[in-house]
């Protein structure tokens, strides 16, 4: 259920009681399935629902008139888009699946009801948006100041921690269904340069690529090289919470 993926995500930000959890699990919506490389939202399109991701990955992006694309961020299970529907009629960016994706389409009125049900839920949804802004800030710093090597290392480590929050991944890596073109468009690089840097990171013993998986061979050294500070995730608190479940 998409509601379960969302509950796992927002439970990372708030201690919800049984009533709050039941409110989430009873969200009224329509489950929809999309194939890989499906345009879910086009910039300028009128929005009429919020979609909660149950399974699969998607990307937010903007495209210039000459076809150049900037990937803004990656959407994972438990993420939502687009809350913009609550305040604006038209999307200002596009969303596309990079894998097959299942989600729950929720009417704006239903989502507004959620925000009035519980102060904890309102705070949790607010914190999710703060977290989204944190990811975008990291994206700005990453692309604006870091080398290609640092960008790729930082991006992969960030994705890894986000995947852990969804309940996927392993102790030493995760499956990455992103093409090198998508990674390049996220980091302001070319696919050729992206491939070259990934191969160099492998030669340096920092990571390994294996059939769509990224396996970290020396995560500590990769984090130091990338100047990756995961404090904005509060991941230690999250792991402690998982240990108490």
């Amino acid at each position: 259920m998409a509601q379960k993926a969302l509950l796992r995500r927002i439970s990372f930000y708030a201690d919800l009681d049984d009533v709050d959890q039941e409110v989430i699990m009873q969200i009224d919506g329509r489950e929809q399935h999309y194939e890989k490389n499906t345009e879910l939202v086009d910039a300028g399109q009128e929005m009429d629902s919020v979609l909660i991701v149950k399974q699969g990955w998607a990307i937010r992006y903007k495209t210039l008139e000459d076809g150049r694309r900037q990937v803004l961020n990656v959407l994972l299970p438990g993420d939502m888009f687009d809350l913009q529907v609550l305040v604006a009629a038209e999307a200002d960016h596009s969303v596309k699946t990079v894998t097959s994706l299942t989600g729950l389409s929720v009417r704006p009125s239903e989502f507004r009801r959620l925000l009035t049900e519980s102060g904890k839920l309102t705070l949790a949804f607010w914190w999710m948006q703060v977290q989204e802004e944190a990811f975008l800030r990291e994206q700005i710093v990453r692309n604006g100041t870091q080398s290609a090597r640092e960008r790729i290392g930082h991006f992969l480590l960030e994705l890894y921690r986000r995947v852990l929050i969804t309940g996927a991944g392993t102790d030493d890596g995760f499956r990455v269904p992103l093409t090198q073109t998508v990674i390049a468009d996220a980091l302001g690089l070319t696919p050729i340069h992206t491939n070259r840097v990934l191969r160099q990171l492998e030669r340096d013993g920092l990571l390994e690529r294996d059939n769509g998986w990224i396996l970290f061979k020396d995560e500590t050294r990769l984090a130091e090289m990338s100047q990756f500070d995961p404090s904005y995730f509060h991941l230690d608190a999250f792991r402690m919470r998982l240990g108490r479940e």
Side-chain angles (χ1 to χ4, degrees):
M1 295 178 67
Q3 294 93 330
K4 187 173 182 180
L6 176 62
L7 179 59
R8 181 183 180 90
R9 171 75 187 277
I10 66 174
S11 292
F12 169 54
Y13 305 117
D15 291 317
L16 304 179
D17 57 28
D18 292 343
V19 174
D20 295 321
Q21 294 182 37
E22 186 63 22
V23 170
I24 294 296
M25 295 303 293
Q26 294 301 319
I27 293 176
D28 182 30
R30 180 165 55 94
E31 186 164 293
Q32 296 180 291
H33 181 77
Y34 305 93
E35 297 301 322
K36 179 180 178 179
N37 294 326
T38 299
E39 294 286 346
L40 301 181
V41 178
D42 288 318
Q45 174 183 331
E46 289 194 6
M47 302 294 297
D48 60 4
S49 64
V50 175
L51 190 71
I52 302 169
V53 180
K54 174 185 177 183
Q55 294 178 328
W57 290 37
I59 55 172
R60 296 179 190 263
Y61 68 94
K62 299 197 74 166
T63 305
L64 300 180
E65 291 183 0
D66 61 6
R68 286 176 293 168
R69 180 178 69 171
Q70 174 66 58
V71 172
L72 305 172
N73 66 357
V74 179
L75 295 165
L76 304 179
D79 286 340
M80 299 181 299
F81 65 93
D82 200 315
L83 296 184
Q84 186 176 337
V85 70
L86 301 179
V87 296
E90 295 183 352
D92 60 10
H93 64 280
S94 302
V95 178
K96 182 179 184 178
T97 64
V98 293
T99 68
S100 61
L101 184 145
T102 302
L104 187 73
S105 180
V106 181
R107 297 185 307 275
S109 59
E110 172 70 2
F111 196 81
R112 291 189 186 96
R113 181 189 66 80
L114 286 178
L115 297 180
T116 64
E117 290 284 342
S118 162
K120 283 185 178 180
L121 287 179
T122 300
L123 181 61
F125 284 120
W126 173 82
W127 184 248
M128 285 181 68
Q129 293 309 296
V130 170
Q131 194 73 299
E132 180 102 354
E133 291 181 3
F135 295 148
L136 291 174
R137 283 192 293 272
E138 292 297 315
Q139 176 80 329
I140 291 169
V141 173
R142 190 162 51 215
N143 288 1
T145 64
Q146 291 192 307
S147 68
R149 183 180 171 89
E150 291 170 328
R151 290 182 210 180
I152 291 175
H154 194 284
F155 180 71
L156 292 176
L157 289 169
E158 179 181 278
L159 272 181
Y160 175 50
R161 279 153 180 77
R162 291 185 60 198
V163 167
L164 289 178
I165 291 172
T166 72
T170 67
D171 288 342
D172 62 352
F174 67 122
R175 185 175 182 278
V176 185
L178 303 179
T179 66
Q180 290 184 14
T181 297
V182 170
I183 295 173
D185 287 351
L187 300 176
L189 305 170
T190 66
I192 292 175
H193 196 183
T194 298
N195 180 264
R196 185 181 301 123
V197 172
L198 284 168
R199 285 190 282 110
Q200 184 62 56
L201 293 174
E202 288 185 284
R203 286 194 294 269
D204 291 344
L206 295 174
L207 57 82
E208 177 182 320
R209 290 178 289 173
D210 182 17
N211 196 29
W213 279 72
I214 292 290
L215 302 173
F216 297 109
K217 310 305 291 184
D218 193 336
E219 185 180 347
T220 299
R221 190 156 62 95
L222 182 63
E224 290 174 352
M225 181 275 295
S226 306
Q227 300 187 59
F228 178 76
D229 177 4
S231 60
Y232 61 99
F233 278 86
H234 305 290
L235 194 58
D236 288 340
F238 176 60
R239 283 176 171 158
M240 288 174 61
R241 181 171 298 164
L242 285 182
R244 294 198 299 267
E245 290 180 350

